[in-house]
Amino acid sequence: MIAGRLLPIRAGEAPAAAWSFVYFFCVLAAYYLLRPVRDALAISDGTGDLPWLFTGTFLAMLLAVPAFAWLAARYPRRLLLPLVYGFFILDLLLFWGWLASGRGEAIAGGAFFIWLSVFNLFVVSVFWSFMADIFSAAQGKRLFALIAAGGSAGAISGPGLAALLAGQLGVLGLLPLSAGLLTAALGCIVVLRRWAADQIEADRSRLGGGVWEGLRRITESRYLQGVALFILCYTALSTVLYFQQAELVSRLFDDDARRTQLFAAVDLATNVVTVGLQLFVTHHLIRRLGLGVALGSLPAISLLGFLVLGLVPVIAVLVVFQVLRRSANYAVARPAREALFTVLPRTDKYKAKNAIDTLVYRGGDALSGWAYTGLTSLGLGLTGMAFAVLPIATGWLLLSAWLGRAHTRRYHDAAPESFAHGEPP
């Protein structure tokens, strides 16, 4: 097959890779239809509310994570995933009705920011849990970058659809369209469950455990603690950059339309670069240089980017930095990070992973948001903040190397037979 020669697909994997690609396309297209609106609404009254919005998102996660764990303990995978996606589809339709009614407009922007931030992490986390469950560790390192490209294609299509249809459907018309894409994602899940015949028992079994099982698993595993610390470093630096972006954009543009256009342009540029890397670069980089190098690409770019931003704190530098950093995350570091979970038990793939992807992630956002606000209130400006995070980026780079070695050890211990068939760790 031509695809087999150009892409890292082996016999029998093409249908699953294709449906996974479409699944992730639908999920991220649904999200990116709404993201520019969220970001514009968040700073419509300035940046002072951002720490509260990040804190509100974290508090929402404190409710959502045990709710997900409760569902995972009681329902098998074949029901768990439809329940999660069905819940968010219903939410979108309820938001549509609420916003169309014109009631409570004063809190609509903040509520939508918090909801969309929870929605994004949950639907993506559940997607990657499913991928780590139906693909082996060796398959994950070959296929996850290709599958992630489906998400990037969706992330390109989402802003494009928003720009094309917002004038005809109105902003509120994008919400049922997003719900329709999530419904298509449910169809992909059904097809993938049929393909993963060797996982049928896992499909029918429940995970069990308590509502805080995921956090307990993290406290007992240095490996999971390393993944959680990786996420905390990522969120700390992402939050600093997000706040710097908000400050610069709010100074330069005084209306929501121009801000939305800029955010959409950054999203589009990021995802165009990302797709090319995912299709033709990432799997070769992971295969030849290992997960440690792939993970380390993001902190390395962050280290260099914040250094340059500290020296030249202007919007052009920030936009280029954002595009490069987010492309490295989506194209290289994210597939590598998801591959870390392929060597773990199913409970860790769903419960511990979900706690890391949501609660730890948004907790890092909230702490970083207040830390940023506190430091700026003491007189630390854009340049000072950029230089202040350089030690974090350095430690993050070292942690990436450690996680790469730890994954290799677990891979050897879990599946030594893979090496006899030419599957490198």
Side-chain angles (χ1 to χ4, degrees):
M1 289 178 59
I2 295 176
R5 292 194 296 268
L6 297 179
L7 300 173
I9 300 174
R10 297 189 178 179
E13 295 174 344
W19 281 108
S20 299
F21 183 100
V22 174
Y23 175 8
F24 204 24
F25 172 92
C26 292
V27 167
L28 284 198
Y31 168 63
Y32 273 91
L33 270 172
L34 307 172
R35 176 181 164 122
V37 179
R38 180 203 71 174
D39 287 344
L41 289 174
I43 61 172
S44 60
D45 295 322
T47 61
D49 290 338
L50 284 176
W52 292 107
L53 292 174
F54 277 62
T55 301
T57 302
F58 172 66
L59 293 176
M61 287 297 182
L62 285 176
L63 299 175
V65 168
F68 174 81
W70 184 87
L71 289 172
R74 286 158 180 78
Y75 295 97
R77 188 180 65 191
R78 62 186 174 84
L79 295 177
L80 176 64
L81 273 64
L83 281 172
V84 171
Y85 284 96
F87 171 78
F88 284 112
I89 290 169
L90 177 61
D91 282 352
L92 272 171
L93 297 178
L94 291 175
F95 255 111
W96 181 36
W98 175 30
L99 294 171
S101 72
R103 299 175 181 174
E105 289 181 338
I107 62 172
F112 188 71
F113 181 99
I114 291 172
W115 179 87
L116 195 63
S117 299
V118 173
F119 159 83
N120 174 40
L121 290 187
F122 257 92
V123 294
V124 173
S125 178
V126 170
F127 167 81
W128 283 115
S129 293
F130 188 42
M131 294 298 103
D133 206 10
I134 66 173
F135 291 109
S136 68
Q139 287 174 320
K141 285 189 288 185
R142 285 188 292 101
L143 298 176
F144 278 6
L146 172 61
I147 291 169
S152 296
I156 293 171
S157 301
L161 286 171
L164 181 65
L165 299 175
Q168 302 173 30
L169 302 177
V171 173
L172 296 184
L174 299 178
L175 274 67
L177 180 58
S178 180
L181 286 166
L182 289 179
T183 303
L186 279 175
C188 295
I189 292 172
V190 173
V191 175
L192 285 165
R193 279 179 43 219
R194 293 172 181 167
W195 174 83
D198 58 332
Q199 297 286 335
I200 193 67
E201 195 59 39
D203 202 48
R204 293 174 177 170
S205 63
R206 297 176 297 175
L207 294 176
V211 296
W212 297 108
E213 179 76 8
L215 290 177
R216 185 185 68 80
R217 302 281 292 192
I218 295 169
T219 62
E220 296 174 350
S221 168
R222 286 185 63 198
Y223 185 77
L224 286 172
Q225 290 166 15
V227 178
L229 184 56
F230 185 95
I231 291 294
L232 285 174
C233 291
Y234 171 72
T235 57
L237 292 163
S238 296
T239 300
V240 168
L241 194 57
Y242 185 85
F243 275 58
Q244 290 178 323
Q245 171 184 280
E247 287 187 29
L248 287 173
V249 171
S250 62
R251 290 178 194 171
L252 291 173
F253 305 111
D254 57 2
D255 65 277
D256 289 345
R258 294 182 67 189
R259 292 167 183 163
T260 300
Q261 287 174 341
L262 177 63
F263 293 140
V266 171
D267 286 343
L268 181 61
T270 296
N271 291 304
V272 168
V273 174
T274 299
V275 168
L277 292 174
Q278 286 167 330
L279 289 175
F280 304 112
V281 175
T282 303
H283 64 276
H284 294 298
L285 184 133
I286 292 176
R287 187 169 181 268
R288 295 177 183 178
L289 301 180
L291 287 183
V293 172
L295 292 168
S297 63
L298 185 55
I301 289 174
S302 299
L303 185 63
L304 179 61
F306 276 111
L307 178 61
V308 175
L309 187 60
L311 296 172
V312 190
V314 297
I315 189 67
V317 170
L318 185 140
V319 166
V320 172
F321 180 22
Q322 275 281 40
V323 170
L324 291 176
R325 186 175 184 273
R326 288 169 58 188
S327 297
N329 178 47
Y330 299 145
V332 183
R334 183 65 188 260
R337 193 177 89 212
E338 301 304 340
L340 293 173
F341 289 93
T342 58
V343 294
L344 295 174
R346 290 190 70 239
T347 298
D348 293 339
K349 290 175 181 176
Y350 282 92
K351 289 193 172 184
K353 175 175 167 43
N354 183 261
I356 290 171
D357 287 349
T358 58
L359 195 59
V360 173
Y361 191 112
R362 289 309 181 196
D365 273 348
L367 289 173
S368 302
W370 286 112
Y372 186 95
T373 301
L375 290 172
T376 52
S377 68
L378 296 175
L380 205 62
L382 291 176
T383 295
M385 286 300 304
F387 289 144
V389 299
L390 294 181
I392 298 176
T394 303
W396 188 20
L397 186 60
L398 297 174
L399 175 63
S400 300
W402 182 85
L403 282 170
R405 293 193 298 270
H407 175 272
T408 299
R409 288 194 298 270
R410 284 175 173 264
Y411 185 89
H412 276 280
D413 293 341
E417 68 276 4
S418 296
F419 304 108
H421 295 89
E423 290 276 18

